Amino acid sequence: MQTIILYVFIILIGFFIAKKNFIPNSMKSKISHFQTAALYFLLAFMGYKIGSNDNIINNLSQLGLQAIVITIFAIVFSILLVFLIYRGGQK
């Protein structure tokens, strides 16, 4: 629970910094490059952690099936919700 509160707090700090224009415009264009690099760094460490966990590797077929089912449901219900929202707005 403390970790989630920390994440929300960090997001709020970023929001406050953006709203108060504390970052100069010349630096804003470089932020996307930093975000991309940080994302690659995070993905690499997540891959390392997953690859080094024998429990995950041994159950990969079962986890893969669950991941596919969850992904399909997420996609289908996202499309359905967007369709219902936009169709409801056109009436």
Side-chain angles (χ1 to χ4, degrees):
M1 182 67 173
Q2 291 175 345
T3 306
I4 294 173
I5 293 171
L6 176 63
Y7 293 158
V8 170
F9 183 69
I10 291 171
I11 290 171
L12 289 174
I13 289 173
F15 179 78
F16 177 74
I17 289 172
K19 283 296 181 185
K20 295 296 181 179
N21 292 324
F22 288 145
I23 298 175
N25 286 333
S26 61
M27 200 171 177
K28 286 182 183 179
S29 64
K30 298 175 185 171
I31 290 177
S32 68
H33 297 295
F34 175 74
Q35 287 175 325
T36 302
L39 178 63
Y40 290 150
F41 186 74
L42 176 65
L43 289 172
F45 273 97
M46 286 176 59
Y48 170 76
K49 186 161 180 141
I50 290 170
S52 65
N53 189 335
D54 290 332
N55 192 25
I56 292 176
I57 299 300
N58 292 335
N59 296 319
L60 198 55
S61 62
Q62 179 67 27
L63 293 172
L65 178 63
Q66 290 175 354
I68 289 172
V69 170
I70 290 170
T71 302
I72 289 172
F73 272 95
I75 291 170
V76 167
F77 284 107
S78 294
I79 292 171
L80 180 66
L81 185 63
V82 168
F83 177 74
L84 291 174
I85 289 173
Y86 279 105
R87 187 164 184 237
Q90 292 178 356
K91 288 183 179 180

